[in-house]
Amino acid sequence: MRKLIAPLCALLLLGTPAARAVDVAAPSALLMEKETGAVLFAKDEHTQREPASVTKVMTLLLTMEAVDSGQLTYDTMVTASAHACSMGGSQIWLKENEQMSVSDMLKAVCVVSANDCAVALAEQVAGSEEAFVERMNQRAKELGMNDTHFCNATGLPAAGHVTSAYDIALMSRELILNHPDIRQYTTIWMDTLRDGTSQLVNTNRLIRFFDGATGLKTGSTDNALYCLSGTAERDGMELIAVIMKDATSNQRFEDAKTLLNHGFSTYALRKIVLDAPLPPVSVELGAQATVQPALSEGGVLLLEKSKAGNLTQTVELAETVTAPVSPGDRLGTLTVASGEEIVAELPILAGESVPRVTYGQMLLRLLKTAFLSE
């Protein structure tokens, strides 16, 4: 009995939607759909470039993981160190030993890209910025960010601090997919800190001027030029547009809008729900006679809109399987078609375990059969 690796159970496409030609000025760019991770557009996506403050996507990710794991709470008070206060660049001018909640520091990082708050959070999570950077690089490896090496938690210029458009999309997806609470900060256009005495205006103009914008992070330095990981959601589909090394701030937002509009106009997500309940499958030599099949969790398809309208389903199930059966064992396939074209084949899996019958159970069955036949 063949078992499927868990991530493949949620989605099994016959092919990733083709990345179509889109005109953007940025030398590196990428468009990714959040739920499936499908790449919808790519241009020079693996070239290593300086990310500037888009680096902070990873800083936010590790901080949110610390919050969600219980290591921190939004109300945890963070004390600013001399090191954090020395960052320069974009900041809210923390003073040494000033205390601010994790929530307010997250707001400052997301809205105005505060370097001082990014480092203060890094120190709170890992004890020092150096230790935090080790975690950043370890997490990057875990996410498959093979083009990336971080040297700090801020994105301030440092030799060897590089990533790629593809890797930025990977960490951005991890953040918005598994830590949706980050939206409470990334969607802020204007706000204040310190009882209204510190004004904040989001560096990400998409939040104010693009329908459905949800975040995420801007960045710019003299060498990195203008970078952006911009996210937006429409009709239940969230997209990630990554722009690297654009010549101007305005151009990065125009390029991001071009990619996002392309994605929203061309693609759609469809949640697949079975047309009818699945019948049980017979189990040979099992402790019970049947096993109940179920469609793999997820069942979300990313399709071109032209193919997403009238979908049909065909179910193929095994007539019998042999025990033992484990949850996740494949029992059949749901084929989804658009007209004559097959657009996806989704695995149908065992939803329960059925152990192999023991000799004692077999003997008892034989005795019952013999008794009932007399």
Side-chain angles (χ1 to χ4, degrees), residues 83-91 93 113-116 154 156:
H83 175 61
C85 296
S86 72
M87 286 299 104
S90 301
Q91 58 184 307
W93 306 101
S113 196
N115 292 319
D116 44 6
T154 60
L156 287 167

Side-chain angles (χ1 to χ4, degrees), residues 79 103 139 145 235 349:
T79 302
S103 181
R139 196 72 180 93
M145 297 170 59
D235 298 324
L349 311 174

